[in-house]
Amino acid sequence: MGKKKHQKGETNTSEFPSSSNSIESGNVYTSPPFKFIVEGTAFYLHAALVSHYSKPLDRMMNGEVSEAQEGYATLEDVEEGTFGRFAEWLNKGYYTPGEVFTRPLDESRPKKSMVEDSELGKLEEPPPEAPQPADEPSIDLPAAVEDNWGSLGSKKSSKKSKRYATVDAWDVEDSSRYQLKDSSRSQLKESFIHRKATVRQESISIPQPLPNQSPEEDYTEVFLSHAQLYVFAEKYDMQTLKILALENLQTTLAIFTLHEQRTGDIITLLRYVYANTSETSDGVEDLRTLLRDYVGYEMDTLMKDDGFRDLMIADGGALLGDFLTMVMKRISD
């Protein structure tokens, strides 16, 4: 396992989460602890504090359900690390993200899209014939894309007059079909970096993330720790924690240098988010819109990784739709 790099920052362990000033400290510390069992580990949390931030967990502890009667609850839908960060946040007002690992780069297996034809010509025997691929998913084009779809390619549906987009329409190698504007990329990046924070801004105790220094630094666990806590907070209706996790991820991505060797960190994050969150409502800023905007200005690097294209095929449409929306911003702004 690679070397760990700890996230550091100024801390103040006397603070509770930002809205906890409405809780009397005496009630918190005199309330009986409630036991949560997560992946075999027991967590004992002050019941009053948990109840204040989560109505679903409050019902679990104090309602008519079996957990309340037995005095403990086993949570099957969360990992130990995520629940531990929740417990840390309850008591400190911040949480410690996942570790950064330093791993030697594996240059022995280049990406398919990066292999030169001359290298393929050195094969002693031709590769076996590939099986016919299954039909790729089609999606309704976003309005912004549908109006300009001619520049990217389209196909007609036999049952509907509306045009549909497939991954076939996205051809990274044929850059003559469209031109991504650097000026649009800069505008999207500036907008992403300067997103206004709310929960982070209210507390000086929240540690600042550290930027990566080399392509060998793997940030996968850092990104996932924020996303997993966001999903947990959303399920148990903890808006303050949900917003904090979103802002922590944004702050980390904003200072993250996306080396070509580290696109897998982002692809893993995208896979988790689009598999564990629902479709974004109009006008709502959430985890998907955050990553959509990030992909908008980093698509030049991400498109060099075959894994990004494969993920859009496997996802079934939502990620592709968000990607095409940002493509249109890059070529039309």
Side-chain angles (χ1 to χ4, degrees):
M1 184 174 290
K3 298 178 180 178
K4 295 181 179 179
K5 172 183 172 184
H6 293 277
Q7 299 283 310
K8 299 179 180 179
E10 181 182 1
T11 62
N12 179 357
T13 58
S14 64
E15 289 192 1
F16 284 110
S18 58
S19 62
S20 63
N21 53 7
S22 61
I23 311 174
E24 294 184 8
S25 60
N27 291 340
V28 171
Y29 292 115
T30 58
S31 66
F34 189 87
K35 181 169 73 171
F36 293 92
I37 302 176
V38 180
E39 294 188 330
T41 299
F43 292 84
Y44 295 87
L45 304 181
H46 290 288
L49 196 56
V50 176
S51 295
H52 177 77
Y53 287 105
S54 173
K55 296 306 180 185
L57 291 178
D58 174 61
R59 289 191 294 270
M60 188 179 296
M61 294 184 299
N62 300 307
E64 300 298 326
V65 295
S66 60
E67 289 86 352
Q69 305 303 318
E70 296 171 353
Y72 72 92
T74 300
L75 301 182
E76 305 286 355
D77 55 355
V78 60
E79 294 182 359
E80 179 183 344
T82 299
F83 196 83
R85 292 183 181 94
F86 160 59
E88 182 182 17
W89 169 77
L90 276 179
N91 289 281
K92 298 180 180 180
Y94 68 90
Y95 62 87
T96 304
E99 300 285 356
V100 177
F101 291 94
T102 301
R103 309 181 192 279
L105 297 176
D106 181 7
E107 300 178 350
S108 62
R109 301 185 342 188
K111 300 171 187 174
K112 180 181 177 183
S113 59
M114 303 294 287
V115 178
E116 300 292 340
D117 291 340
S118 58
E119 291 293 326
L120 294 176
K122 295 178 182 179
L123 295 173
E124 296 182 359
E125 58 183 20
E129 184 177 351
Q132 291 296 324
D135 292 339
E136 292 180 341
S138 61
I139 62 169
D140 289 344
L141 287 173
V145 177
E146 188 172 357
D147 293 340
N148 300 279
W149 185 241
S151 63
L152 296 177
S154 64
K155 70 177 184 179
K156 295 283 187 177
S157 167
S158 60
K159 296 182 179 181
K160 299 180 181 180
S161 60
K162 185 180 291 186
R163 284 177 292 185
Y164 287 84
T166 72
V167 180
D168 284 333
W170 173 47
D171 187 351
V172 179
E173 304 300 330
D174 186 7
S175 59
S176 63
R177 297 171 70 181
Y178 58 88
Q179 182 65 44
L180 300 178
K181 297 180 181 179
D182 288 338
S183 58
S184 298
R185 178 185 186 276
S186 299
Q187 292 171 4
L188 290 170
K189 185 173 183 178
E190 283 297 309
S191 177
F192 185 92
I193 291 174
H194 294 102
R195 281 183 174 225
K196 184 177 180 180
T198 55
V199 177
R200 283 188 62 90
Q201 193 173 26
E202 292 175 0
S203 177
I204 63 173
S205 68
I206 300 175
Q208 292 297 320
L210 297 176
N212 54 330
Q213 302 295 328
S214 76
E216 294 185 341
E217 291 179 327
D218 186 338
Y219 267 60
T220 302
E221 294 302 318
V222 178
F223 297 147
L224 285 179
S225 66
H226 298 308
Q228 290 166 344
L229 195 57
Y230 175 99
V231 170
F232 173 76
E234 183 172 54
K235 178 169 184 176
Y236 289 101
D237 193 23
M238 293 179 281
Q239 292 302 309
T240 302
L241 179 58
K242 177 182 171 181
I243 295 172
L244 176 60
L246 186 69
E247 292 178 353
N248 282 345
L249 179 58
Q250 181 272 331
T251 303
T252 305
L253 288 171
I255 61 173
F256 180 72
T257 300
L258 183 56
H259 302 282
E260 288 186 14
Q261 300 92 335
R262 293 263 59 90
T263 52
D265 301 5
I266 301 299
I267 292 171
T268 300
L269 174 63
L270 288 168
R271 180 180 294 109
Y272 174 81
V273 169
Y274 278 82
N276 292 277
T277 59
S278 57
E279 186 175 351
T280 301
S281 302
D282 291 340
V284 176
E285 294 292 329
D286 61 7
L287 195 52
R288 285 196 181 188
T289 60
L290 179 76
L291 293 183
R292 178 202 66 193
D293 293 348
Y294 177 80
V295 169
Y297 74 83
E298 290 290 14
M299 65 174 64
D300 309 69
T301 303
L302 288 168
M303 288 191 301
K304 297 176 183 178
D305 191 326
D306 285 348
F308 183 59
R309 179 183 186 275
D310 294 342
L311 176 60
M312 288 196 290
I313 296 174
D315 174 68
L319 175 57
L320 176 59
D322 285 345
F323 170 74
L324 291 175
T325 298
M326 300 313 293
V327 167
M328 294 314 305
K329 284 184 175 290
R330 289 288 303 275
I331 67 178
S332 61
D333 287 353

